[in-house]
Amino acid sequence: MLTIGKLAVASGVKIPTIRYYEQIGLLPAAERSPGNQRLYARDALKRLAFIRHARELGFTLEAIRDLLGLSDRPDQSCFEVDAIARAQLRAVEGRIARLQALKSELERMIDRCAGGTISACRVIEVLGNHTHCAADHGRDGQDCHAVSE
Amino acid sequence: MLTIGKLAVASGVKIPTIRYYEQIGLLPAAERSPGNQRLYARDALKRLAFIRHARELGFTLEAIRDLLGLSDRPDQSCFEVDAIARAQLRAVEGRIARLQALKSELERMIDRCAGGTISACRVIEVLGNHTHCAADHGRDGQDCHAVSE
DNA sequence: CTAATCTCTCTAGCAACTAGAGGTTCAAGG
DNA sequence: CCTTGAACCTCTAGTTGCTAGAGAGATTAG
C-alpha cells in the first residue's frame, strides 16, 4: 500500500492533483489508514498512469472519464474508444495546422523587425492587421473577421 | 462612435470579452454616453484587432500587455518586441513538435483498434503504458516518468 | 517521547473567458 | 409623446484543470 506521496512520486502526478481526480470521480475513493490517510494499491498507479498519459495526449478529463468507463466494460466493441481517439486525432491535426500557420507568421514578423525602432518594426503592425488571414489561416472562416476601415 | 455591440461585430470579439479586457486594463476605459453606455472610437477597433490577432497567435494576455506597452513608446529599439516574438516562436515550435508526436501515437492507437472488443483493443493499453515515451516524445524528459511495475 | 515530516480538509486563486440575473437606456414606430 | 423591444449596464458565479496556502492531525526516525 502506497501513501499519496509515494504514489505522487511514482506516477509523476502531484498530490493535490491526485486528490482532485478523486474529488471529481476519476479515481475511486482511496482506502484509508486508521488515521484517515489515503492508501493506494498498485492498480491506482496504473489508473493514474493512464490518466496522465491521456492528458499528455491532449484528452480532456471528460474524454478520459469516458475511456475509463468504457474500459470497465471490456466485452463491448471498441467502436466508441475508436471514435474518441479519432476525434482526438482530428483535433490534434487541426491544432498542428493552426500552429504551423502561426509559426510562419511569427517568422515573417521577426524578419521584418531587424534591429530598428518600434516605429519601423512591423511586428506590431502585422499583429494589428488582418490582411494575411485569408492567405495564412483563413481555413476556418469563422475565426477571421474582416476589419475594414 | 461605436457602441460596444457594433465594436463586437466589427472586431469579432464578444461583448463580455471587451468589457473583460477593459476591466483588466488591456483596453482603456471607454468614453460613456450620457446614459453610461460605452462609446468607442476607431482606434479602439485597431487595438482590439491587435489583441485578437495576437491571441490567435498564441500570445498570453500578459505578453500582449507588454507589446501594447512597448507600442506606446515608438522611439525605442524593437529589441524587446523581437525578444517577445522569438520566445513566442520557440513556444509554438515546441507545441508543434509535441503535437506531432501525439498525432503519431494516436494514429498507432487507432490502427491497433480495428473493430475488435475493448479487451482486444490496444488504445487503452497504449494509454496506460509509458514504454513509448522515450521513442515518441521523451525529448523533454521531465515529462515522462518511468512507471515500472 | 519528541521533532520532523507527511497528510488531512477546506478555501481561494490562476488564465481567459462565458453565462445569467436583474435593472437601465436608446431608437424606432404608432 | 409614449411605448416597446433591443441593446446596454453591473455584478456574481461558472468553466477547466489544476495549484497554493492555512491550520490541524498522523506517522515515523532518532
Side-chain angles (χ1 to χ4, degrees):
Chain A
M1 286 296 189
L2 302 164
T3 59
I4 198 169
K6 314 288 181 197
L7 181 65
V9 170
S11 67
V13 176
K14 288 175 188 161
I15 291 175
T17 306
I18 295 172
R19 291 198 277 243
Y20 171 71
Y21 287 163
E22 178 181 318
Q23 189 193 317
I24 64 170
L26 270 191
L27 292 176
E31 283 183 63
R32 298 296 180 118
S33 76
N36 199 37
Q37 301 196 347
R38 288 174 180 81
L39 294 174
Y40 296 93
R42 282 277 153 189
D43 62 333
L45 190 48
K46 282 190 193 168
R47 202 171 174 99
L48 252 188
F50 178 96
I51 295 170
R52 177 174 153 74
H53 206 172
R55 286 293 297 139
E56 282 171 9
L57 284 167
F59 289 84
T60 65
L61 291 183
E62 264 327 290
I64 293 169
R65 192 192 298 278
D66 289 348
L67 287 170
L68 285 169
L70 291 170
S71 76
D72 291 340
R73 292 171 288 154
D75 294 340
Q76 280 185 263
S77 160
C78 70
F79 182 78
E80 283 182 71
V81 174
D82 189 83
I84 292 170
R86 279 179 198 279
Q88 203 61 30
L89 178 59
R90 276 195 302 278
V92 167
E93 283 169 344
R95 274 187 265 165
I96 288 172
R98 188 157 186 81
L99 282 171
Q100 258 154 1
L102 307 188
K103 181 184 167 198
S104 58
E105 187 143 359
L106 280 168
E107 279 165 347
R108 195 174 54 236
M109 283 166 54
I110 289 167
D111 280 353
R112 291 187 180 185
C113 180
T117 61
I118 286 172
S119 57
C121 170
R122 306 295 301 266
V123 170
I124 284 166
E125 192 176 322
V126 167
L127 279 177
N129 190 331
H130 278 244
T131 54
H132 302 301
C133 289
D136 276 335
H137 46 277
R139 291 167 207 71
D140 39 356
Q142 109 268 16
D143 252 10
C144 207
H145 301 248
V147 180
S148 56
E149 279 230 324
Chain B
M1 285 297 189
L2 301 165
T3 59
I4 198 170
K6 314 286 181 201
L7 181 65
V9 170
S11 67
V13 176
K14 288 174 188 160
I15 292 175
T17 306
I18 295 172
R19 291 198 277 242
Y20 171 71
Y21 286 164
E22 177 180 319
Q23 190 193 317
I24 64 170
L26 270 191
L27 292 176
E31 281 184 64
R32 298 296 181 119
S33 76
N36 199 36
Q37 301 195 347
R38 288 175 181 81
L39 293 175
Y40 296 92
R42 282 278 153 190
D43 63 334
L45 189 48
K46 283 189 192 167
R47 203 170 173 99
L48 251 189
F50 178 95
I51 294 170
R52 177 175 151 73
H53 207 172
R55 285 294 297 137
E56 282 171 8
L57 285 168
F59 290 85
T60 66
L61 291 183
E62 264 326 290
I64 293 170
R65 191 191 299 277
D66 288 349
L67 287 170
L68 285 170
L70 291 170
S71 76
D72 292 340
R73 291 171 289 153
D75 294 338
Q76 279 185 262
S77 160
C78 70
F79 182 79
E80 283 184 70
V81 174
D82 189 83
I84 292 170
R86 279 178 197 277
Q88 203 61 29
L89 178 60
R90 276 194 302 278
V92 167
E93 283 169 343
R95 273 187 264 165
I96 288 172
R98 185 153 189 84
L99 282 171
Q100 258 155 0
L102 307 187
K103 182 185 167 201
S104 58
E105 187 144 359
L106 280 167
E107 280 165 347
R108 195 175 55 236
M109 283 166 55
I110 289 167
D111 281 352
R112 292 187 179 185
C113 180
T117 60
I118 286 172
S119 57
C121 170
R122 306 295 302 265
V123 170
I124 285 168
E125 192 176 323
V126 167
L127 279 177
N129 190 330
H130 277 245
T131 56
H132 302 302
C133 291
D136 275 334
H137 47 279
R139 292 168 206 70
D140 40 357
Q142 109 269 15
D143 252 10
C144 207
H145 299 248
V147 181
S148 56
E149 276 231 319

